[in-house]
Amino acid sequence: EAGVAQSPRYKIIEKRQSVAFWCNPISGHATLYWYQQILGQGPKLLIQFQNNGVVDDSQLPKDRFSAERLKGVDSTLKIQPAKLEDSAVYLCASSDTGSAFDEQFFGPGTRLTVL
Amino acid sequence: SQQGEEDPQALSIQEGENATMNCSYKTSINNLQWYRQNSGRGLVHLILIRSNEREKHSGRLRVTLDTSKKSSSLLITASRAADTASYFCARGYNFNKFYFGSGTKLNVKP
């Protein structure tokens, strides 16, 4: 079974530039999550999709971050414009139904450095 | 944090010893999941314990849950160098919400 795919793996940009990350979840998984993990901290949920609808985006900085999951499959997360404090690893995860009892499967992440 | 803490922040042991890490939470949970993160394999699910369970085992892992103290412990027995990683607990609320803690960094010396 193929895992969660993410690209790119690494990205370096200057502040005020824009960046986009892509995620393809495990086939058939209804729920997709985007997390931000700052060095030395745990993953922080940015947004949770159930199929192509948003379940939770309460911690997404909506003035600069946006995400979409068209057709309920793959997803993109965009930052525009980036700030220095956005330097982090962005993790995508998926789960079967989105229940809190489901295991989440994580992708390898995209390491973003903002200069 | 609002959701609870994990301790210790870092733990260094010799191979063969047991490692114990703890996770506390502040409001009632549906379940608690433990994940491991290392540079080689990313974040991987280890074990889930439901709020009505007190103990679960998986291989060398033993998880306990004490709802009266709002805390959980992960015990790794007979540790190996390959267990070197960060361990996170994810608190499951309201049937579809998760909060990860800041984790425990475990170093197992050969």
Side-chain angles (χ1 to χ4, degrees), chain A:
Chain A
E1 176 183 81
V4 176
Q6 288 189 249
S7 67
R9 292 294 309 277
Y10 305 92
K11 191 75 178 177
I12 301 174
I13 61 172
E14 297 193 347
K15 61 183 179 184
R16 292 187 288 273
Q17 285 188 324
S18 302
V19 65
F21 312 126
W22 175 82
C23 172
N24 191 27
I26 291 174
S27 177
H29 277 191
T31 307
L32 186 148
Y33 308 83
W34 282 103
Y35 289 90
Q36 179 192 59
Q37 187 175 23
I38 292 171
L39 188 65
Q41 298 181 18
K44 174 184 140 185
L45 180 67
L46 294 176
I47 190 165
Q48 177 180 346
F49 290 97
Q50 184 76 11
N51 297 309
N52 59 351
V54 176
V55 173
D56 184 355
D57 63 357
S58 57
Q59 299 192 93
L60 186 75
K62 298 181 187 65
D63 57 334
R64 298 183 301 106
F65 286 64
S66 64
E68 60 182 10
R69 190 184 184 197
L70 298 175
K71 301 180 184 177
V73 182
D74 55 356
S75 175
T76 55
L77 175 70
K78 296 178 182 177
I79 307 175
Q80 181 179 12
K83 293 186 175 181
L84 296 176
E85 59 260 36
D86 298 332
S87 293
V89 176
Y90 291 84
L91 296 165
C92 179
S94 69
S95 69
D96 188 9
T97 67
S99 161
F101 297 94
D102 279 353
E103 173 183 349
Q104 293 187 41
F105 294 85
F106 283 82
T110 296
R111 184 177 298 275
L112 174 67
T113 302
V114 183
L115 304 175

Side-chain angles (χ1 to χ4, degrees), chain A residues 33 35 37 40-45 48 55-56 58-59 91 98-108, chain B residues 30-31 33 35 37 41-45 48 50-51 88 92-103:
Chain A
Y33 308 83
Y35 289 90
Q37 187 175 23
Q41 298 181 18
K44 174 184 140 185
L45 180 67
Q48 177 180 346
V55 173
D56 184 355
S58 57
Q59 299 192 93
L91 296 165
S99 161
F101 297 94
D102 279 353
E103 173 183 349
Q104 293 187 41
F105 294 85
F106 283 82
Chain B
N30 302 127
N31 68 72
Q33 301 186 35
Y35 286 79
Q37 185 176 42
R41 293 195 61 200
L43 255 170
V44 175
H45 180 266
L48 177 152
R50 294 172 181 256
S51 59
F88 297 92
Y93 299 98
N94 298 338
F95 299 105
N96 66 352
K97 298 203 180 298
F98 297 91
Y99 290 99
F100 281 82
S102 54

